[in-house]
Amino acid sequence: NYTCDDRSILGTRPRYTWDVWDEPHMGRTRVVMWLLVLAACVTVKFVQPVSPARQASHGEQPTNSASSSKSTTTWQQSHNTTPTTRKGPDVKIKYNTSRSGRSAGNMTVLFDGYPLIGGGLPECSWVRMGNGTPYPNQPYAGEVNRTFDPSSTTYTMIHHDLFHWSLRHERKDPLTLDMHFTLTADSLAIGQTGFNLLGPPEGPSWIVNPAAIIPPRNLTGYTDAANPCSSSCWHGCGDGIHCDSSYPQALPMDWGSGALAIVRTDMGLPPETSNATISVTFLHAGHFFPVITVSGCEIGQTVSASVSFRFGVGSDVGGGTSALLDLVGPELKRFAAAVPFTRPTLKRGPIGVAFGSNCGATCNCASYSSTDCPNPRGWSSDMVGNLKVNISSAEGVADFHAAALDWANRSVQYCLRLGCAGLIFWSIEGSEYTWDTYVGSPDMLTQISPEMDSIVDRVFGLTMAAGLRLGMTLRPQKLTLSPGWSSSVPPKSKPQKYFQFDFYNADNTTDVQAYVDNIVHKASYAIKRWNASMFYVDTCGNKNGVLPHAVWDGVTKALPGVLFFPEETTLLDYAVVQPLQDNWPSAAKGIHAVPAAAKYMWPGAANFQLLQFSLANNTAADFVPLVREGDALRADAWYNNSEAWDIVREAYLQA
C-alpha cells in the first residue's frame, strides 16, 4: 500500500492510495509500479469545490462538470492553472515623506489606478472636556506639534501638553492597511473626542476635501445606500452606522467596482466594551470619513484601538458576488461563536394575528361614566360585529362574552385554514387610553379590562385546543398608575389613569435588569395562566435608543423555549429572538430580509414579517425568498381577508 501526499494545493493535504500486489518473482513489476506511482504523484490533477469568494481571489474560471449526474458548476484547480481574471484589486499606497508640517505623511491610495483616498491626513476633529463642554480651540483642539516618521509610517500629534496621540500604519499584505491608534490624556480629562483617520471636512458647508474616500459610484452595502446613509442605514453594527463596542466592529461597503471593509481588530469577545469605537460619517455624493471616537479618557489614561482597511472585489467584478462578507468574515464568525444561536424554532407556516381593538384615541369616550361610555375599551366591529357593546350591565357583559367567543372561534378557524403555526391576540386589553394603541400588560388584565378578563380563559382555550401556539402583546415598560389621577377627570385629559414607565439608572443609562425583570414577569404570568409560548413586544426602546442586546439575552435565558418578536432590535438580537419587520406599502420590495451579516453568523436567523403590503403592488413572488430563508409571514385572522390570504398561502406553496 503506497500513499501520495500533495501539500501545495490551497494549503490542503489530500492523500491518494494505490494497492500493489506483491507476488513472488514480481520484483520487476514492483519497480515499474513504483515508477507509475511516482509519476502519478507528479501529474495528478485535483478537482475541488471552491467558493465564489475563493474563486474571485484566486482567479479561477467556472467549468461545467459533464461527468456529474446533476447540473452543477465546479471549479477546477491544478498545478498549471493560468488565472484569466484578476485575483483582486491593485492597491497602491503613497506617502509624502516630509517629517513635519501640514503635509507631512500626506497619504494617497490608488485602487486599480483610481484615487480612492487622496491627500489623506489624520486629524483630531473635535474634543469635549470631562464636563461635556467643547474644548475652545476647534477644530483641531489646539494642535501645536505634528510629526511623521516615514520609516515606521507613524503620525504623532501633541496638543498643548493636554493630550497626545499617534497613528501607525502597517501593511502586512497588498490588500490590507492596518492602523494602530493610541491616545493619552496628559493634563486634560477628555469626555469625548473624535479622530478622522483620513482627514477632516473643510469649512462650515461640510464640503469635503480630497482626503475623503471618494468611490467612483454610490455606495451599496447590505442595504440600498444609493443615498448616503441616515440613522436607519445598517452597515454591520446595530442602529445606524456607529459601531457600539459590544457589536462586531465591521463597516463594509461595496460600490460595484470595488469593496472595502473598515474593521476593528483589537476587540475581545462580547459583551466586552471599550472606550473607543469606530464609525463612518457619510456626506453627500458618496463621500465618507472613517472616525475613531473615544468616550472618557481620564488624566494619565491611555486608550488604544487597531483598525484594518481591507480592500476587495466589488459585486460588479465578482459576477454579482460581493467580497464584503469575506472581508469581515473572521470578525463575524468570532462574534457568532461568542453569542450562540438559541432562538426557539417555530413550526413552518404563517402566524395569525387577531385585533380586538385597534383604534386608539378614536375609541375613547367623553367620560368614565357607564352612561356616556358603554364601550370604554373600544372593542371594534371586526370583533363584535353589529353588537352595540355596553358593559354597564350584566346583560351587556354577557353579550360581549358571546361575541368574543365567536370572534376567537372565527380567528382559530381562519388560522387552521391557512396552516398557521400560531395565533397572536394583539390587543387583548383593549384601547382605552390615548397614549398607546397597545397596552401590553396581560398581567393587569383584571384591572384594565374586567369584561375581557372574565372570558379570556375560554377565548385562549379555543386556540390551545386547536393545536396552535398562543401569543399576545407585551411592552417592556411598566404600566403604572398616574399620581394625582381622579376618576372624575375625562379620559382624554391629563393625567390619564395609567402611563408607561421606562427604566433608567441614576446616570440616565438604561436599566437593563429592570427591563429584563419586567418582561419576564409579564410573560411568566401569561405562560402560567394560559400556557402562552410566543409574544409580540411593542416599543422596544427609550430615550437612549433601541434596548440593548443584554435585555433580550437576559429575557431568553430566563424563559428558554419562549419565542419573542420585538418591534425594534439590534444585530445581535437575531441570535435569541425573531425580530418584527414592517413591510409597509411604500417600502421597496425585499429590503426587510434578515441582514446579511446576521445570516452569515446565524444561518437560522429569521424575521416575523408583519406584511403591511399593498394588494395592488405586491404578489406572492415578492415574499417567496423570505419564506425560503425561514421568515414567518403574518396572516390576518380577525376578519375574512381572502385576497391577502391567497398571497400568503401561495408564497408558502411556491417556497
Side-chain angles (χ1 to χ4, degrees):
N1 183 281
Y2 304 101
T3 299
C4 175
D5 213 5
D6 183 272
R7 309 186 184 192
S8 64
I9 305 298
L10 297 177
T12 61
R13 298 180 60 180
R15 299 172 68 86
Y16 296 83
T17 302
W18 292 263
D19 288 320
V20 180
W21 292 104
D22 193 0
E23 301 258 350
H25 313 294
M26 294 294 289
R28 293 180 181 178
T29 303
R30 286 198 297 271
V31 171
V32 173
M33 295 303 297
W34 266 105
L35 292 175
L36 291 174
V37 168
L38 291 174
C41 288
V42 174
T43 61
V44 67
K45 292 183 179 181
F46 304 106
V47 178
Q48 298 176 334
V50 180
S51 67
R54 181 176 288 177
Q55 175 270 336
S57 63
H58 288 268
E60 299 133 56
Q61 290 296 308
T63 59
N64 291 325
S65 177
S67 61
S68 173
S69 60
K70 297 180 181 179
S71 178
T72 59
T73 299
T74 60
W75 299 94
Q76 181 168 311
Q77 175 110 18
S78 66
H79 290 290
N80 59 357
T81 297
T82 301
T84 56
T85 61
R86 72 180 197 177
K87 295 182 179 180
D90 178 27
V91 179
K92 291 183 172 63
I93 302 177
K94 300 179 180 180
Y95 297 89
N96 182 321
T97 56
S98 300
R99 290 182 172 270
S100 61
R102 293 292 300 171
S103 62
N106 188 298
M107 180 184 70
T108 301
V109 176
L110 298 178
F111 187 102
D112 282 341
Y114 182 87
L116 189 66
I117 303 172
L121 284 172
E123 294 283 2
C124 176
S125 300
W126 48 272
V127 177
R128 293 190 180 92
M129 295 182 289
N131 60 6
T133 60
Y135 186 73
N137 294 334
Q138 296 290 324
Y140 306 123
E143 175 190 321
V144 295
N145 188 8
R146 175 191 185 97
T147 60
F148 175 71
D149 181 0
S151 63
S152 62
T153 54
T154 301
Y155 304 86
T156 303
M157 276 64 68
I158 302 174
H159 298 259
H160 288 302
D161 296 326
L162 300 175
F163 62 93
H164 68 276
W165 60 285
S166 66
L167 187 70
R168 179 173 61 88
H169 287 189
E170 181 181 19
R171 199 173 184 196
K172 296 179 180 178
D173 64 70
L175 297 180
T176 302
L177 173 63
D178 293 330
M179 297 186 181
H180 306 285
F181 167 84
T182 301
L183 165 69
T184 300
D186 299 307
S187 61
L188 175 70
I190 298 174
Q192 193 175 64
T193 181
F195 297 87
N196 193 321
L197 297 178
L198 300 177
E202 293 182 343
S205 61
W206 286 82
I207 301 300
V208 296
N209 63 12
I213 295 177
I214 309 175
R217 292 176 49 182
N218 286 331
L219 297 173
T220 54
Y222 292 137
T223 55
D224 181 6
N227 296 314
C229 288
S230 63
S231 61
S232 62
C233 185
W234 186 89
H235 272 78
C237 306
D239 182 21
I241 55 175
H242 178 81
C243 281
D244 181 272
S245 58
S246 62
Y247 291 88
Q249 298 272 285
L251 298 162
M253 299 146 228
D254 182 344
W255 58 92
S257 58
L260 167 65
I262 304 172
V263 181
R264 180 83 180 273
T265 57
D266 64 325
M267 292 292 290
L269 297 175
E272 176 184 327
T273 59
S274 169
N275 292 67
T277 57
I278 62 171
S279 62
V280 170
T281 299
F282 282 83
L283 301 178
H284 58 81
H287 298 56
F288 63 94
F289 295 87
V291 176
I292 285 182
T293 301
V294 176
S295 299
C297 188
E298 301 297 329
I299 295 175
Q301 182 181 6
T302 296
V303 175
S304 62
S306 293
V307 178
S308 179
F309 284 62
R310 300 173 183 172
F311 303 92
V313 176
S315 54
D316 289 353
V317 179
T321 301
S322 173
L324 289 182
L325 287 176
D326 290 333
L327 298 181
V328 299
E331 283 69 30
L332 298 184
K333 288 181 179 179
R334 177 167 57 88
F335 267 76
V339 185
F341 185 79
T342 60
R343 196 208 75 216
T345 57
L346 181 67
K347 170 188 167 185
R348 189 177 189 271
I351 297 176
V353 297
F355 292 86
S357 177
N358 192 27
C359 49
T362 61
C363 294
N364 294 140
C365 304
S367 73
Y368 280 108
S369 70
S370 60
T371 303
D372 296 333
C373 195
N375 184 15
R377 259 65 73 185
W379 303 114
S380 66
S381 58
D382 287 328
M383 174 183 179
V384 300
N386 296 323
L387 176 68
K388 301 297 184 183
V389 177
N390 186 343
I391 63 168
S392 61
S393 67
E395 294 81 5
V397 171
D399 290 340
F400 169 75
H401 286 173
L405 288 172
D406 183 62
W407 163 70
N409 185 61
R410 291 197 312 272
S411 297
V412 167
Q413 295 305 314
Y414 292 153
C415 284
L416 294 176
R417 186 185 305 177
L418 285 167
C420 290
L423 174 59
I424 296 177
F425 291 87
W426 216 264
S427 50
I428 202 66
E429 303 93 344
S431 305
E432 185 168 354
Y433 303 103
T434 59
W435 42 256
D436 265 320
T437 302
Y438 312 126
V439 175
S441 293
D443 57 316
M444 295 182 64
L445 187 61
T446 303
Q447 300 96 302
I448 299 170
S449 180
E451 73 275 12
M452 177 58 78
D453 182 72
S454 54
I455 193 62
V456 72
D457 293 351
R458 294 176 63 189
V459 167
F460 289 164
L462 292 172
T463 304
M464 301 301 295
L468 298 170
R469 291 185 72 153
L470 172 64
M472 60 200 68
T473 299
L474 304 180
R475 287 180 63 112
Q477 297 80 17
K478 181 176 178 58
L479 191 65
T480 305
L481 185 66
S482 299
W485 172 81
S486 170
S487 59
S488 63
V489 177
K492 291 185 181 181
S493 302
K494 294 183 179 180
Q496 295 188 46
K497 186 174 183 179
Y498 295 101
F499 71 98
Q500 298 283 7
F501 180 83
D502 278 302
F503 300 100
Y504 300 99
N505 296 310
D507 60 356
N508 287 322
T509 57
T510 297
D511 188 339
V512 169
Q513 191 57 51
Y515 278 109
V516 171
D517 293 343
N518 191 50
I519 297 171
V520 169
H521 167 75
K522 292 182 178 183
S524 297
Y525 178 90
I527 294 168
K528 182 178 180 180
R529 181 175 174 182
W530 303 300
N531 200 26
S533 60
M534 60 183 185
F535 299 93
Y536 161 65
V537 189
D538 192 79
T539 314
C540 300
N542 57 26
K543 65 182 180 182
N544 295 328
V546 179
L547 294 181
H549 171 68
V551 170
W552 294 114
D553 183 60
V555 168
T556 53
K557 285 179 178 176
L559 299 172
V562 179
L563 191 56
F564 292 91
F565 308 112
E567 184 180 19
E568 294 87 14
T569 52
T570 60
L571 176 69
L572 296 190
D573 297 335
Y574 276 95
V576 295
V577 300
Q578 190 161 341
L580 180 85
Q581 291 294 340
D582 281 347
N583 191 355
W584 294 97
S586 59
K589 296 178 181 179
I591 66 170
H592 293 299
V594 173
K599 207 70 175 177
Y600 186 87
M601 291 191 285
W602 309 290
N607 288 322
F608 173 26
Q609 298 286 348
L610 194 56
L611 294 191
Q612 305 277 19
F613 60 84
S614 167
L615 291 172
N617 299 323
N618 293 99
T619 66
D622 297 329
F623 307 112
V624 168
L626 301 176
V627 176
R628 287 176 177 165
E629 289 296 324
D631 285 8
L633 307 185
R634 156 189 153 175
D636 297 336
W638 75 99
Y639 71 106
N640 190 326
N641 190 2
S642 57
E643 290 183 285
W645 293 347
D646 289 342
I647 289 179
V648 171
R649 183 187 295 106
E650 188 62 26
Y652 276 91
L653 289 175
Q654 291 183 24

